[in-house]
Structure formats: structure tokens, C-alpha cells
Amino acid sequence: MICDVCRIREAEIYQPHTGRRLCRQCFIEDIRKRVEKEAEIIGLQKAKKILLAVSGGKDSFVLADTLASFIDHNKLIAYNIVEGIHGYNRKEQVEQLKKFLTDLGIELIEDSFKDSVGYTLDEMVKSSMEKGLNVSACTFCGGFRRKLINNAGRMVNADYVATGHNLDDEVQAIVINLIRGDLIRLIRFGDKPLKLSSKFVLRVKPLRKIYEWETTMYAYYKGYNFQEVECPYITTRPTLRAKVRELLYILEETKPGSLLNIIEEFDKISENVRKEYSTTSELRELPRCKICGEPTSYGREICKNCELLIKSGLLHQNLPIS
């Protein structure tokens, strides 16, 4: 069957949400154009420096490859964190990531939880379990990753921090925050970045309208040998996100294009809500943690990260960690 776009090459892939059959080249070009369109909405092309938060997975490769196709590589710098998960973090993966980025002309900054926090993720989880805390590894990992990525963005004077969150990730996050009724956190999502602290580097998601299956196929077609092993903590203790993900997969399979419809409608709603909140005191500057000095949630004196370390017995309240 001939590609529906170029009408020349043989189609290799079917795109359910558009109903099109595409050849390999047209599929890759379609992804790049959609990422470039999102980047234009965000304003990435005007940035002087963009930090790419990369993990070594397929989304990281697609993030770097697509952005490098239309943004000067001298404006891009990558940052990778080794969490310290036994059997998951492997040295050869970081080396492979570094080679790939070097070939694109992008510098890689390497970091780890052990170096910057003082403990690996495994050590944090083990200590919290010994204290009888009912805290998932994802809670530790997500919080400290966000903190270190933001710190790295400030360190290199980046205008933006770009992450590899895809459409599936973004819609899952929207649904989760709807379930939790967290309006303030919810309106921070959307196609336009929302900055609630002078210490935050704006975080953007150029892949937020690209399906996860599309990032997988893009990486496969480009010949990337990306990490396919899922984090063991996800399988040993399924989170709310994992449950929401399964429900959304069923919805998308029943009605292709549902996830795109959700995020596009959400962007319209969130823009209106943010305009309303911008005239109130609800979106004032976030307070600073009394221990580490980083931004924390409204009404908090100690950030969630420091609180977790204190409760796990890894940090005394009167000692700063950075």
C-alpha cells in the first residue's frame, strides 16, 4: 500500500488518530513537524539555552533528535540523572546516551542521586520502609528528579528545561490531578508554561502531543538502541498513574484520537482558568523550604523532599542538604 502523504513510497505504519498510512520517512517528518509546532507555541526557538532532561529511554532520544532537527545544537545542553536502582541503572546505557548526544553536537552533564542528594533511590526506599512509611519509590524519585533538574537548569542559565513527557504522560497527569482535585497543580499544565517561583526554570514538554507508541516507532525507525526495561518499582507497587494509564489505553483503543482531544480541550480550559487566577492571590510566589531553600507548596515550611528524608531518618531537621 502506498503512503497517503508522499504517494511514492510504500506505507509501513498506520496512524489510528488520523486514519493515515505512512511510509517511514513521512512518519518521521510528521513527528518532527508536530514537535516544531509545539515548540513554536512554547517559544523555544527564541531561547538562548535549553536544558534537555534525558534519561536514556526512547522519549529522551526522540526529544533530542527532534529538537536538534530545527534548533541550533549550541543552544541545547543535556542533563542525565542516575537514580541508583539495582538492575535498572546501567553504566553502558549512560555511555550510549552520551555517544548519541555527542553525535548530535549536544553536551551531556552527568549526575546522580548519590552525588547530589547523598543517597541512591534504593537507599531512600529501604530506609523509609524500615521506618514503616507507606511511601512509593515514585514519590521519592519524582520529587528529587524535579529538584535536581531545576537546579541544573539554573546552573547553566537555561531559559527552559525541556522534558520528554509524551501525550500519554501528559493526559495521565491531567486525569490524576482531576481525581485529586488539585486545581493549582492542574493549571500548571498546558501548552504555555506557568512560573510560580523566581527559582524555577520554566519546564516545557515539546512531545506533549506525540503518542507514546509514536515515540517508540520513531526511535525504532531511527535505529536507537534505547532502554526497554521498565523500572522495577512500577511493577512491584502499581501507582495511581499505572491504573489511570490502563483506563486511558482502553479509551484510546475504543476511540482513536481521544487523548489528543483531551489535551487540546484541556489547553483551552486551562488558559481561561489561569487568566482568572492571575488576577487573584492564588498564584503568588511559592514559599521557600526552610531547610534546602528551594520552592515548596503553599502552606508548607518544609518541602516534600526534605520531609521525606526527615521521616526516613536520613536528614536531621536542622541540617541543610544543599
Side-chain angles (χ1 to χ4, degrees):
M1 189 170 292
I2 299 300
C3 172
D4 289 333
V5 175
C6 68
R7 302 288 183 178
I8 298 174
R9 295 177 289 269
E10 191 74 15
E12 295 185 37
I13 196 165
Y14 176 66
Q15 211 173 38
H17 64 281
T18 63
R20 299 186 305 181
R21 290 171 172 80
L22 305 174
C23 66
R24 184 175 303 201
Q25 291 91 325
C26 288
F27 171 74
I28 290 173
E29 187 60 26
D30 174 71
I31 301 299
R32 287 181 169 179
K33 284 181 178 178
R34 285 159 59 195
V35 173
E36 185 171 6
K37 181 179 179 181
E38 191 66 23
E40 288 175 358
I41 294 172
I42 297 167
L44 281 187
Q45 284 91 332
K46 299 177 182 178
K48 294 180 180 179
K49 182 70 67 176
I50 304 167
L51 182 78
L52 310 183
V54 295
S55 65
K58 64 185 185 309
D59 296 330
S60 297
F61 284 111
V62 177
L63 175 69
D65 192 79
T66 53
L67 290 185
S69 69
F70 60 85
I71 293 178
D72 183 349
H73 66 85
N74 291 313
K75 295 183 178 182
L76 305 175
I77 185 167
Y79 175 69
N80 173 254
I81 305 169
V82 173
E83 300 89 351
I85 304 172
H86 181 70
Y88 180 67
N89 294 135
R90 295 192 293 274
K91 186 177 180 180
E92 59 269 25
Q93 291 168 348
V94 177
E95 290 303 317
Q96 177 183 293
L97 175 65
K98 189 172 184 178
K99 182 181 184 305
F100 161 73
L101 292 168
T102 299
D103 290 344
L104 286 177
I106 301 173
E107 177 190 351
L108 174 65
I109 299 172
E110 300 177 51
D111 198 0
S112 70
F113 278 0
K114 188 69 173 179
D115 290 339
S116 293
V117 181
Y119 305 95
T120 66
L121 181 60
D122 285 347
E123 289 170 341
M124 287 187 270
V125 172
K126 180 176 182 292
S127 186
S128 71
M129 290 177 64
E130 290 173 349
K131 291 289 185 178
L133 299 182
N134 186 30
V135 179
S136 72
C138 296
T139 300
F140 280 100
C141 189
F144 281 105
R145 280 185 61 83
R146 285 189 293 272
K147 176 177 180 177
L148 297 186
I149 289 170
N150 187 66
N151 287 347
R154 289 204 309 257
M155 180 182 69
V156 302
N157 294 316
D159 300 298
Y160 295 98
V161 166
T163 66
H165 292 86
N166 56 50
L167 174 62
D168 301 44
D169 298 325
E170 192 77 340
V171 176
Q172 288 161 25
I174 290 170
V175 173
I176 288 169
N177 283 289
L178 280 172
I179 292 172
R180 291 173 175 167
D182 193 341
L183 180 61
I184 299 298
R185 185 178 294 274
L186 190 62
I187 62 176
R188 292 172 64 181
F189 290 90
D191 52 5
K192 302 288 177 61
L194 183 63
K195 188 171 183 176
L196 297 180
S197 172
S198 57
K199 295 200 74 174
F200 279 154
V201 179
L202 288 173
R203 294 177 73 232
V204 296
K205 304 165 186 176
L207 307 184
R208 65 191 298 272
K209 290 182 182 174
I210 309 298
Y211 282 93
E212 183 170 12
W213 73 264
E214 291 181 303
T215 64
T216 301
M217 292 308 300
Y218 185 106
Y220 171 73
Y221 283 151
K222 295 287 286 185
Y224 301 147
N225 183 26
F226 55 86
Q227 179 177 338
E228 298 182 68
V229 179
E230 192 168 44
C231 175
Y233 285 114
I234 293 178
T235 55
T236 55
R237 184 178 175 181
T239 60
L240 175 59
R241 179 179 286 273
K243 297 171 184 176
V244 168
R245 177 174 58 183
E246 291 306 314
L247 289 174
L248 289 174
Y249 283 165
I250 293 172
L251 175 63
E252 182 67 26
E253 184 177 357
T254 303
K255 188 177 180 181
S258 292
L259 298 192
L260 268 174
N261 290 336
I262 289 172
I263 199 168
E264 286 172 355
E265 288 305 311
F266 173 79
D267 284 351
K268 296 175 186 176
I269 295 170
S270 66
E271 181 65 22
N272 291 331
V273 173
R274 279 185 287 182
K275 285 180 181 178
E276 180 182 341
Y277 267 74
S278 64
T279 62
T280 72
S281 61
E282 292 289 338
L283 297 183
R284 64 190 184 280
E285 177 89 2
L286 288 170
R288 305 280 178 86
C289 173
K290 287 189 174 182
I291 295 179
C292 68
E294 293 300 309
T296 186
S297 302
Y298 299 118
R300 273 183 168 273
E301 292 189 346
I302 299 175
C303 71
K304 186 67 174 179
N305 290 334
C306 290
E307 180 185 88
L308 287 173
L309 290 182
I310 291 169
K311 289 183 176 180
S312 301
L314 299 174
L315 176 69
H316 295 296
Q317 189 168 343
N318 61 337
L319 294 178
I321 62 173
S322 64

